Amino acid sequence: QVQLVESGGGLVQPGGSLRTSCAASGNIFSINSMGWYRQAPGKQRELVATITRGGNTNYADSVKGRFTISRDNAKNTVFLQMNSLKPEDTAVYYCNALIQSDRYYSPRNYWGQGTQVTVSS
């Protein structure tokens, strides 16, 4: 079994900052890409940022220059530093990871339970 557990969401005023983290645990042989997605009410889930094991990053245009994704491979953890937050960043943020549980198994996609980020004055 593999679990992704997120933390760090909350309520913040426009222009403020938040840092979310996501730790993977369980039967893990290796973790390929990790990332963050978000889903606002009435909207589809969308990509926020991804990071490869080697540290290559990819960001949605809407968050470039404001959000930074990073990871600690030794701790199987991915972080999302969110600065200059806007009301339109309000959403449930989901952690995602492509995890290989055993060297003989193909990697599988796993999701966290989600953490609410609300940007409001």
Side-chain angles (χ1 to χ4, degrees):
Q1 291 279 23
V2 172
Q3 283 189 320
L4 299 180
V5 179
E6 299 130 334
S7 60
L11 173 65
V12 65
Q13 291 186 341
S17 298
L18 277 177
R19 187 180 192 233
T20 56
S21 62
C22 170
S25 63
N27 294 330
I28 298 173
F29 175 71
S30 69
I31 302 179
N32 299 344
S33 64
M34 302 185 83
W36 291 93
Y37 291 71
R38 67 186 181 187
Q39 187 167 17
K43 295 188 176 182
Q44 289 188 332
R45 190 174 297 188
E46 62 177 5
L47 173 95
V48 176
T50 61
I51 184 168
T52 67
R53 184 172 182 81
N56 293 321
T57 58
N58 179 52
Y59 295 94
D61 288 343
S62 59
V63 307
K64 280 181 182 176
R66 300 188 297 122
F67 290 13
T68 301
I69 189 170
S70 61
R71 64 189 280 178
D72 183 336
N73 291 331
K75 296 182 179 180
N76 293 333
T77 300
V78 62
F79 306 95
L80 185 67
Q81 177 67 44
M82 299 179 282
N83 298 328
S84 302
L85 282 160
K86 305 174 181 180
E88 51 264 43
D89 294 317
T90 296
V92 177
Y93 283 68
Y94 295 93
C95 174
N96 172 266
L98 191 62
I99 297 174
Q100 190 174 3
S101 298
D102 184 278
R103 68 175 65 201
Y104 302 110
Y105 295 165
S106 298
R108 282 185 55 191
N109 214 20
Y110 291 89
W111 292 92
Q113 80 284 358
T115 184
Q116 178 70 46
V117 171
T118 302
V119 184
S120 175
S121 54

